[in-house]
PDB file of all heavy atoms in Angstrom:
ATOM      1  N   VAL A1495      -0.501  -2.341   8.521  1.00 88.00           N
ATOM      2  CA  VAL A1495       0.880  -2.616   8.937  1.00 88.00           C
ATOM      3  C   VAL A1495       1.120  -4.115   8.817  1.00 88.00           C
ATOM      4  O   VAL A1495       0.737  -4.890   9.692  1.00 88.00           O
ATOM      5  CB  VAL A1495       1.144  -2.157  10.390  1.00 88.00           C
ATOM      6  CG1 VAL A1495       2.609  -2.365  10.749  1.00 88.00           C
ATOM      7  CG2 VAL A1495       0.746  -0.703  10.575  1.00 88.00           C
ATOM      8  N   GLY A1496       1.709  -4.542   7.714  1.00 87.00           N
ATOM      9  CA  GLY A1496       1.975  -5.949   7.502  1.00 87.00           C
ATOM     10  C   GLY A1496       1.022  -6.609   6.522  1.00 87.00           C
ATOM     11  O   GLY A1496       0.081  -5.982   6.017  1.00 87.00           O
ATOM     12  N   ALA A1497       1.278  -7.887   6.276  1.00 89.00           N
ATOM     13  CA  ALA A1497       0.567  -8.619   5.226  1.00 89.00           C
ATOM     14  C   ALA A1497      -0.713  -9.298   5.682  1.00 89.00           C
ATOM     15  O   ALA A1497      -1.369  -9.962   4.883  1.00 89.00           O
ATOM     16  CB  ALA A1497       1.503  -9.673   4.626  1.00 89.00           C
ATOM     17  N   SER A1498      -1.081  -9.133   6.954  1.00 86.00           N
ATOM     18  CA  SER A1498      -2.217  -9.897   7.469  1.00 86.00           C
ATOM     19  C   SER A1498      -3.512  -9.630   6.713  1.00 86.00           C
ATOM     20  O   SER A1498      -4.292 -10.550   6.461  1.00 86.00           O
ATOM     21  CB  SER A1498      -2.404  -9.630   8.966  1.00 86.00           C
ATOM     22  OG  SER A1498      -2.522  -8.250   9.224  1.00 86.00           O
ATOM     23  N   SER A1499      -3.767  -8.366   6.334  1.00 89.00           N
ATOM     24  CA  SER A1499      -4.989  -8.054   5.582  1.00 89.00           C
ATOM     25  C   SER A1499      -4.974  -8.727   4.222  1.00 89.00           C
ATOM     26  O   SER A1499      -5.959  -9.333   3.795  1.00 89.00           O
ATOM     27  CB  SER A1499      -5.133  -6.540   5.413  1.00 89.00           C
ATOM     28  OG  SER A1499      -5.342  -5.902   6.641  1.00 89.00           O
ATOM     29  N   ALA A1500      -3.833  -8.631   3.523  1.00 93.00           N
ATOM     30  CA  ALA A1500      -3.716  -9.252   2.203  1.00 93.00           C
ATOM     31  C   ALA A1500      -3.840 -10.765   2.296  1.00 93.00           C
ATOM     32  O   ALA A1500      -4.468 -11.401   1.441  1.00 93.00           O
ATOM     33  CB  ALA A1500      -2.383  -8.860   1.557  1.00 93.00           C
ATOM     34  N   ILE A1501      -3.257 -11.358   3.334  1.00 91.00           N
ATOM     35  CA  ILE A1501      -3.346 -12.807   3.526  1.00 91.00           C
ATOM     36  C   ILE A1501      -4.784 -13.224   3.788  1.00 91.00           C
ATOM     37  O   ILE A1501      -5.244 -14.271   3.311  1.00 91.00           O
ATOM     38  CB  ILE A1501      -2.426 -13.254   4.671  1.00 91.00           C
ATOM     39  CG1 ILE A1501      -0.961 -13.055   4.276  1.00 91.00           C
ATOM     40  CG2 ILE A1501      -2.675 -14.717   5.031  1.00 91.00           C
ATOM     41  CD1 ILE A1501       0.019 -13.268   5.401  1.00 91.00           C
ATOM     42  N   PHE A1502      -5.501 -12.408   4.544  1.00 87.00           N
ATOM     43  CA  PHE A1502      -6.903 -12.701   4.779  1.00 87.00           C
ATOM     44  C   PHE A1502      -7.663 -12.700   3.452  1.00 87.00           C
ATOM     45  O   PHE A1502      -8.541 -13.535   3.219  1.00 87.00           O
ATOM     46  CB  PHE A1502      -7.504 -11.671   5.735  1.00 87.00           C
ATOM     47  CG  PHE A1502      -8.846 -12.072   6.272  1.00 87.00           C
ATOM     48  CD1 PHE A1502      -8.950 -13.082   7.207  1.00 87.00           C
ATOM     49  CD2 PHE A1502      -9.997 -11.441   5.850  1.00 87.00           C
ATOM     50  CE1 PHE A1502     -10.185 -13.469   7.709  1.00 87.00           C
ATOM     51  CE2 PHE A1502     -11.241 -11.822   6.339  1.00 87.00           C
ATOM     52  CZ  PHE A1502     -11.329 -12.833   7.281  1.00 87.00           C
ATOM     53  N   GLY A1503      -7.298 -11.770   2.567  1.00 91.00           N
ATOM     54  CA  GLY A1503      -7.887 -11.746   1.233  1.00 91.00           C
ATOM     55  C   GLY A1503      -7.575 -13.020   0.463  1.00 91.00           C
ATOM     56  O   GLY A1503      -8.429 -13.552  -0.261  1.00 91.00           O
ATOM     57  N   LEU A1504      -6.354 -13.537   0.611  1.00 93.00           N
ATOM     58  CA  LEU A1504      -5.976 -14.788  -0.053  1.00 93.00           C
ATOM     59  C   LEU A1504      -6.852 -15.946   0.421  1.00 93.00           C
ATOM     60  O   LEU A1504      -7.256 -16.796  -0.373  1.00 93.00           O
ATOM     61  CB  LEU A1504      -4.509 -15.118   0.220  1.00 93.00           C
ATOM     62  CG  LEU A1504      -3.447 -14.148  -0.312  1.00 93.00           C
ATOM     63  CD1 LEU A1504      -2.046 -14.682   0.002  1.00 93.00           C
ATOM     64  CD2 LEU A1504      -3.605 -13.899  -1.799  1.00 93.00           C
ATOM     65  N   LEU A1505      -7.124 -15.966   1.722  1.00 89.00           N
ATOM     66  CA  LEU A1505      -7.982 -17.018   2.272  1.00 89.00           C
ATOM     67  C   LEU A1505      -9.387 -16.965   1.679  1.00 89.00           C
ATOM     68  O   LEU A1505      -9.962 -17.996   1.308  1.00 89.00           O
ATOM     69  CB  LEU A1505      -8.056 -16.891   3.796  1.00 89.00           C
ATOM     70  CG  LEU A1505      -6.900 -17.473   4.606  1.00 89.00           C
ATOM     71  CD1 LEU A1505      -7.026 -17.040   6.064  1.00 89.00           C
ATOM     72  CD2 LEU A1505      -6.875 -18.993   4.501  1.00 89.00           C
ATOM     73  N   ILE A1506      -9.931 -15.755   1.604  1.00 88.00           N
ATOM     74  CA  ILE A1506     -11.274 -15.585   1.030  1.00 88.00           C
ATOM     75  C   ILE A1506     -11.279 -16.026  -0.425  1.00 88.00           C
ATOM     76  O   ILE A1506     -12.197 -16.720  -0.887  1.00 88.00           O
ATOM     77  CB  ILE A1506     -11.721 -14.109   1.145  1.00 88.00           C
ATOM     78  CG1 ILE A1506     -11.867 -13.705   2.615  1.00 88.00           C
ATOM     79  CG2 ILE A1506     -13.018 -13.881   0.384  1.00 88.00           C
ATOM     80  CD1 ILE A1506     -12.872 -14.507   3.396  1.00 88.00           C
ATOM     81  N   ALA A1507     -10.242 -15.638  -1.170  1.00 90.00           N
ATOM     82  CA  ALA A1507     -10.154 -16.013  -2.582  1.00 90.00           C
ATOM     83  C   ALA A1507     -10.052 -17.524  -2.751  1.00 90.00           C
ATOM     84  O   ALA A1507     -10.681 -18.111  -3.642  1.00 90.00           O
ATOM     85  CB  ALA A1507      -8.945 -15.329  -3.222  1.00 90.00           C
ATOM     86  N   MET A1508      -9.270 -18.166  -1.883  1.00 88.00           N
ATOM     87  CA  MET A1508      -9.140 -19.624  -1.956  1.00 88.00           C
ATOM     88  C   MET A1508     -10.493 -20.297  -1.743  1.00 88.00           C
ATOM     89  O   MET A1508     -10.847 -21.249  -2.453  1.00 88.00           O
ATOM     90  CB  MET A1508      -8.137 -20.119  -0.911  1.00 88.00           C
ATOM     91  CG  MET A1508      -7.919 -21.625  -0.963  1.00 88.00           C
ATOM     92  SD  MET A1508      -6.742 -22.217   0.292  1.00 88.00           S
ATOM     93  CE  MET A1508      -5.223 -21.521  -0.368  1.00 88.00           C
ATOM     94  N   PHE A1509     -11.256 -19.779  -0.786  1.00 86.00           N
ATOM     95  CA  PHE A1509     -12.579 -20.352  -0.529  1.00 86.00           C
ATOM     96  C   PHE A1509     -13.484 -20.196  -1.745  1.00 86.00           C
ATOM     97  O   PHE A1509     -14.127 -21.157  -2.191  1.00 86.00           O
ATOM     98  CB  PHE A1509     -13.217 -19.678   0.684  1.00 86.00           C
ATOM     99  CG  PHE A1509     -14.626 -20.113   0.950  1.00 86.00           C
ATOM    100  CD1 PHE A1509     -14.882 -21.326   1.555  1.00 86.00           C
ATOM    101  CD2 PHE A1509     -15.701 -19.316   0.565  1.00 86.00           C
ATOM    102  CE1 PHE A1509     -16.185 -21.748   1.785  1.00 86.00           C
ATOM    103  CE2 PHE A1509     -17.003 -19.726   0.780  1.00 86.00           C
ATOM    104  CZ  PHE A1509     -17.251 -20.952   1.391  1.00 86.00           C
ATOM    105  N   VAL A1510     -13.528 -18.983  -2.312  1.00 86.00           N
ATOM    106  CA  VAL A1510     -14.405 -18.712  -3.456  1.00 86.00           C
ATOM    107  C   VAL A1510     -14.021 -19.562  -4.660  1.00 86.00           C
ATOM    108  O   VAL A1510     -14.879 -20.179  -5.316  1.00 86.00           O
ATOM    109  CB  VAL A1510     -14.351 -17.213  -3.834  1.00 86.00           C
ATOM    110  CG1 VAL A1510     -15.116 -16.960  -5.140  1.00 86.00           C
ATOM    111  CG2 VAL A1510     -14.922 -16.365  -2.706  1.00 86.00           C
ATOM    112  N   ILE A1511     -12.729 -19.617  -4.961  1.00 85.00           N
ATOM    113  CA  ILE A1511     -12.259 -20.350  -6.144  1.00 85.00           C
ATOM    114  C   ILE A1511     -12.489 -21.849  -5.981  1.00 85.00           C
ATOM    115  O   ILE A1511     -12.965 -22.517  -6.909  1.00 85.00           O
ATOM    116  CB  ILE A1511     -10.768 -20.049  -6.393  1.00 85.00           C
ATOM    117  CG1 ILE A1511     -10.583 -18.578  -6.793  1.00 85.00           C
ATOM    118  CG2 ILE A1511     -10.216 -20.958  -7.489  1.00 85.00           C
ATOM    119  CD1 ILE A1511      -9.141 -18.127  -6.847  1.00 85.00           C
ATOM    120  N   GLN A1512     -12.171 -22.391  -4.806  1.00 82.00           N
ATOM    121  CA  GLN A1512     -12.361 -23.825  -4.590  1.00 82.00           C
ATOM    122  C   GLN A1512     -13.835 -24.211  -4.592  1.00 82.00           C
ATOM    123  O   GLN A1512     -14.198 -25.274  -5.095  1.00 82.00           O
ATOM    124  CB  GLN A1512     -11.696 -24.255  -3.273  1.00 82.00           C
ATOM    125  CG  GLN A1512     -10.185 -24.258  -3.339  1.00 82.00           C
ATOM    126  CD  GLN A1512      -9.550 -24.792  -2.078  1.00 82.00           C
ATOM    127  OE1 GLN A1512     -10.191 -24.865  -1.022  1.00 82.00           O
ATOM    128  NE2 GLN A1512      -8.284 -25.166  -2.156  1.00 82.00           N
ATOM    129  N   ARG A1513     -14.675 -23.349  -4.043  1.00 81.00           N
ATOM    130  CA  ARG A1513     -16.110 -23.623  -4.072  1.00 81.00           C
ATOM    131  C   ARG A1513     -16.614 -23.648  -5.505  1.00 81.00           C
ATOM    132  O   ARG A1513     -17.438 -24.496  -5.877  1.00 81.00           O
ATOM    133  CB  ARG A1513     -16.876 -22.557  -3.279  1.00 81.00           C
ATOM    134  CG  ARG A1513     -16.821 -22.723  -1.781  1.00 81.00           C
ATOM    135  CD  ARG A1513     -17.445 -24.027  -1.332  1.00 81.00           C
ATOM    136  NE  ARG A1513     -18.845 -24.137  -1.720  1.00 81.00           N
ATOM    137  CZ  ARG A1513     -19.528 -25.278  -1.751  1.00 81.00           C
ATOM    138  NH1 ARG A1513     -18.931 -26.419  -1.468  1.00 81.00           N
ATOM    139  NH2 ARG A1513     -20.801 -25.276  -2.077  1.00 81.00           N
ATOM    140  N   ASN A1514     -16.112 -22.748  -6.323  1.00 81.00           N
ATOM    141  CA  ASN A1514     -16.514 -22.708  -7.735  1.00 81.00           C
ATOM    142  C   ASN A1514     -16.057 -23.955  -8.480  1.00 81.00           C
ATOM    143  O   ASN A1514     -16.690 -24.369  -9.448  1.00 81.00           O
ATOM    144  CB  ASN A1514     -15.952 -21.454  -8.399  1.00 81.00           C
ATOM    145  CG  ASN A1514     -16.468 -21.263  -9.811  1.00 81.00           C
ATOM    146  OD1 ASN A1514     -15.824 -21.638 -10.779  1.00 81.00           O
ATOM    147  ND2 ASN A1514     -17.658 -20.697  -9.927  1.00 81.00           N
ATOM    148  N   MET A1515     -14.980 -24.561  -8.001  1.00 77.00           N
ATOM    149  CA  MET A1515     -14.467 -25.784  -8.615  1.00 77.00           C
ATOM    150  C   MET A1515     -15.180 -27.026  -8.080  1.00 77.00           C
ATOM    151  O   MET A1515     -14.895 -28.146  -8.489  1.00 77.00           O
ATOM    152  CB  MET A1515     -12.964 -25.903  -8.364  1.00 77.00           C
ATOM    153  CG  MET A1515     -12.136 -24.807  -9.024  1.00 77.00           C
ATOM    154  SD  MET A1515     -10.398 -24.820  -8.492  1.00 77.00           S
ATOM    155  CE  MET A1515      -9.877 -26.451  -9.029  1.00 77.00           C
ATOM    156  N   GLY A1516     -16.119 -26.818  -7.147  1.00 70.00           N
ATOM    157  CA  GLY A1516     -16.896 -27.924  -6.627  1.00 70.00           C
ATOM    158  C   GLY A1516     -16.348 -28.568  -5.368  1.00 70.00           C
ATOM    159  O   GLY A1516     -16.870 -29.600  -4.913  1.00 70.00           O
ATOM    160  N   SER A1517     -15.309 -27.953  -4.767  1.00 71.00           N
ATOM    161  CA  SER A1517     -14.721 -28.523  -3.562  1.00 71.00           C
ATOM    162  C   SER A1517     -15.577 -28.218  -2.337  1.00 71.00           C
ATOM    163  O   SER A1517     -16.121 -27.118  -2.208  1.00 71.00           O
ATOM    164  CB  SER A1517     -13.313 -27.952  -3.344  1.00 71.00           C
ATOM    165  OG  SER A1517     -12.463 -28.288  -4.424  1.00 71.00           O
ATOM    166  N   ASN A1518     -15.682 -29.202  -1.460  1.00 70.00           N
ATOM    167  CA  ASN A1518     -16.402 -29.005  -0.202  1.00 70.00           C
ATOM    168  C   ASN A1518     -15.401 -28.484   0.828  1.00 70.00           C
ATOM    169  O   ASN A1518     -14.821 -29.241   1.605  1.00 70.00           O
ATOM    170  CB  ASN A1518     -17.015 -30.321   0.265  1.00 70.00           C
ATOM    171  CG  ASN A1518     -17.834 -30.141   1.532  1.00 70.00           C
ATOM    172  OD1 ASN A1518     -18.121 -29.022   1.954  1.00 70.00           O
ATOM    173  ND2 ASN A1518     -18.208 -31.256   2.158  1.00 70.00           N
ATOM    174  N   ASN A1519     -15.165 -27.174   0.811  1.00 68.00           N
ATOM    175  CA  ASN A1519     -14.108 -26.593   1.634  1.00 68.00           C
ATOM    176  C   ASN A1519     -14.635 -25.687   2.733  1.00 68.00           C
ATOM    177  O   ASN A1519     -14.003 -24.698   3.095  1.00 68.00           O
ATOM    178  CB  ASN A1519     -13.133 -25.809   0.750  1.00 68.00           C
ATOM    179  CG  ASN A1519     -13.801 -24.620   0.068  1.00 68.00           C
ATOM    180  OD1 ASN A1519     -15.024 -24.513   0.031  1.00 68.00           O
ATOM    181  ND2 ASN A1519     -12.998 -23.714  -0.456  1.00 68.00           N
ATOM    182  N   TYR A1520     -15.780 -26.035   3.301  1.00 70.00           N
ATOM    183  CA  TYR A1520     -16.336 -25.207   4.363  1.00 70.00           C
ATOM    184  C   TYR A1520     -15.428 -25.187   5.602  1.00 70.00           C
ATOM    185  O   TYR A1520     -15.491 -24.273   6.420  1.00 70.00           O
ATOM    186  CB  TYR A1520     -17.740 -25.685   4.741  1.00 70.00           C
ATOM    187  CG  TYR A1520     -18.790 -25.314   3.719  1.00 70.00           C
ATOM    188  CD1 TYR A1520     -19.378 -26.284   2.918  1.00 70.00           C
ATOM    189  CD2 TYR A1520     -19.166 -23.981   3.551  1.00 70.00           C
ATOM    190  CE1 TYR A1520     -20.333 -25.940   1.970  1.00 70.00           C
ATOM    191  CE2 TYR A1520     -20.120 -23.634   2.611  1.00 70.00           C
ATOM    192  CZ  TYR A1520     -20.702 -24.616   1.819  1.00 70.00           C
ATOM    193  OH  TYR A1520     -21.634 -24.260   0.875  1.00 70.00           O
ATOM    194  N   GLY A1521     -14.585 -26.209   5.711  1.00 73.00           N
ATOM    195  CA  GLY A1521     -13.635 -26.226   6.811  1.00 73.00           C
ATOM    196  C   GLY A1521     -12.685 -25.054   6.748  1.00 73.00           C
ATOM    197  O   GLY A1521     -12.144 -24.606   7.769  1.00 73.00           O
ATOM    198  N   LEU A1522     -12.499 -24.528   5.527  1.00 72.00           N
ATOM    199  CA  LEU A1522     -11.619 -23.374   5.356  1.00 72.00           C
ATOM    200  C   LEU A1522     -12.173 -22.155   6.080  1.00 72.00           C
ATOM    201  O   LEU A1522     -11.418 -21.293   6.527  1.00 72.00           O
ATOM    202  CB  LEU A1522     -11.446 -23.068   3.861  1.00 72.00           C
ATOM    203  CG  LEU A1522     -10.449 -21.957   3.492  1.00 72.00           C
ATOM    204  CD1 LEU A1522      -9.051 -22.312   3.986  1.00 72.00           C
ATOM    205  CD2 LEU A1522     -10.441 -21.753   1.986  1.00 72.00           C
ATOM    206  N   LEU A1523     -13.507 -22.108   6.204  1.00 74.00           N
ATOM    207  CA  LEU A1523     -14.122 -20.982   6.910  1.00 74.00           C
ATOM    208  C   LEU A1523     -13.716 -20.969   8.383  1.00 74.00           C
ATOM    209  O   LEU A1523     -13.621 -19.904   9.004  1.00 74.00           O
ATOM    210  CB  LEU A1523     -15.647 -21.053   6.787  1.00 74.00           C
ATOM    211  CG  LEU A1523     -16.220 -20.776   5.392  1.00 74.00           C
ATOM    212  CD1 LEU A1523     -17.739 -20.899   5.420  1.00 74.00           C
ATOM    213  CD2 LEU A1523     -15.806 -19.405   4.889  1.00 74.00           C
ATOM    214  N   ILE A1524     -13.475 -22.145   8.941  1.00 78.00           N
ATOM    215  CA  ILE A1524     -13.004 -22.207  10.328  1.00 78.00           C
ATOM    216  C   ILE A1524     -11.628 -21.571  10.431  1.00 78.00           C
ATOM    217  O   ILE A1524     -11.349 -20.782  11.346  1.00 78.00           O
ATOM    218  CB  ILE A1524     -12.952 -23.666  10.817  1.00 78.00           C
ATOM    219  CG1 ILE A1524     -14.358 -24.281  10.796  1.00 78.00           C
ATOM    220  CG2 ILE A1524     -12.347 -23.743  12.218  1.00 78.00           C
ATOM    221  CD1 ILE A1524     -14.384 -25.752  11.161  1.00 78.00           C
ATOM    222  N   LEU A1525     -10.770 -21.902   9.464  1.00 72.00           N
ATOM    223  CA  LEU A1525      -9.437 -21.299   9.427  1.00 72.00           C
ATOM    224  C   LEU A1525      -9.531 -19.789   9.249  1.00 72.00           C
ATOM    225  O   LEU A1525      -8.789 -19.024   9.885  1.00 72.00           O
ATOM    226  CB  LEU A1525      -8.617 -21.910   8.279  1.00 72.00           C
ATOM    227  CG  LEU A1525      -7.199 -21.361   8.077  1.00 72.00           C
ATOM    228  CD1 LEU A1525      -6.369 -21.582   9.336  1.00 72.00           C
ATOM    229  CD2 LEU A1525      -6.548 -22.030   6.875  1.00 72.00           C
ATOM    230  N   VAL A1526     -10.461 -19.354   8.389  1.00 72.00           N
ATOM    231  CA  VAL A1526     -10.669 -17.925   8.176  1.00 72.00           C
ATOM    232  C   VAL A1526     -11.062 -17.253   9.490  1.00 72.00           C
ATOM    233  O   VAL A1526     -10.540 -16.190   9.844  1.00 72.00           O
ATOM    234  CB  VAL A1526     -11.761 -17.680   7.107  1.00 72.00           C
ATOM    235  CG1 VAL A1526     -12.165 -16.208   7.077  1.00 72.00           C
ATOM    236  CG2 VAL A1526     -11.255 -18.110   5.735  1.00 72.00           C
TER     237      VAL A1526
END
Side-chain angles (χ1 to χ4, degrees):
V1495 184
S1498 55
S1499 294
I1501 293 171
F1502 193 72
L1504 296 183
L1505 279 170
I1506 296 300
M1508 182 181 290
F1509 175 78
V1510 172
I1511 293 171
Q1512 288 185 342
R1513 282 298 300 163
N1514 187 264
M1515 295 171 61
S1517 298
N1518 183 11
N1519 64 346
Y1520 285 109
L1522 185 60
L1523 290 179
I1524 298 176
L1525 179 60
V1526 169

